[in-house]
Amino acid sequence: MKELLPYIFAILVGLFTTAESYISSELGEITTPSIATFYNLFIGVIIFSIPLMLNSNVAKSSEVFKTKPLLLTGGIFGALIIYLTAKSIPSLGITVTLTLVIASQILSSFYLDTFIYKFRPLGINEIIGVLFTLVGVWFIVK
C-alpha cells in the first residue's frame, strides 16, 4: 500500500487541479481573477493553519526564515497558477487550458529530470513520449 499512496496522491492532484480550476474561473467571472486568487489562497491558509497549530508545528515554521529566499517563491508560482488558470478558462475552456498546463508540466519536468538533475536518461522511449505529448496537445487544441 505504501508504494500505491504516491500514485493515489498524484491522481488526487489531477482531480483537485480540475476542480480548483473550474471553481476559480467561475469565481473569477463573478468577481475578478485577482479576487478569486486571493480568496483561494486565503481559504488555503486558514485550512492549513489548523493542523499546523494542532500539531504544535508553529515553532518549526520559523525554520522557513533560515532558508534560501528562492525557496519561498513557490507561493508566487502558486498564486500565478491560480490567477492565470482563472484568466485562461473563460476563453479556452477547461479541457484546452488543462491540456496545455499538463503538457507544459510534462515537458518542463522532463527537461529538468533529463538534462538538469539527470534522474532519467534520454532514450527512444522518452523521445517518443515527448512526441506523443506534443501530438496529443495538437489534437486536443485543434
Side-chain angles (χ1 to χ4, degrees):
M1 179 66 175
K2 190 174 184 180
E3 300 85 29
L4 189 60
L5 214 49
Y7 291 96
I8 293 170
F9 289 166
I11 291 167
L12 287 173
V13 168
L15 296 172
F16 294 164
T17 299
T18 301
E20 184 278 327
S21 298
Y22 170 74
I23 291 166
S24 291
S25 71
E26 287 290 308
L27 183 58
E29 289 283 303
I30 295 168
T31 59
T32 70
S34 296
I35 292 170
T37 301
F38 173 79
Y39 279 99
N40 187 315
L41 294 171
F42 181 70
I43 297 301
V45 166
I46 292 170
I47 295 301
F48 275 88
S49 295
I50 295 168
L52 182 71
M53 289 180 211
L54 291 176
N55 292 331
S56 303
N57 284 332
V58 176
K60 182 77 173 161
S61 66
S62 67
E63 296 293 315
V64 83
F65 297 108
K66 298 175 185 173
T67 64
K68 298 176 196 171
L70 179 65
L71 297 179
L72 301 176
T73 61
I76 296 168
F77 290 119
L80 286 171
I81 289 166
I82 296 165
Y83 176 77
L84 296 172
T85 302
K87 289 286 281 185
S88 299
I89 287 176
S91 298
L92 301 177
I94 297 172
T95 301
V96 170
T97 299
L98 292 185
T99 297
L100 293 169
V101 167
I102 292 166
S104 65
Q105 287 175 332
I106 291 169
L107 296 173
S108 62
S109 62
F110 171 78
Y111 176 80
L112 288 172
D113 276 354
T114 303
F115 299 109
I116 305 299
Y117 297 114
K118 311 264 191 248
F119 290 138
R120 297 186 60 89
L122 179 61
I124 190 68
N125 289 342
E126 288 75 18
I127 293 170
I128 291 170
V130 167
L131 291 175
F132 277 146
T133 300
L134 294 172
V135 169
V137 168
W138 184 81
F139 276 112
I140 289 176
V141 171
K142 277 296 181 177

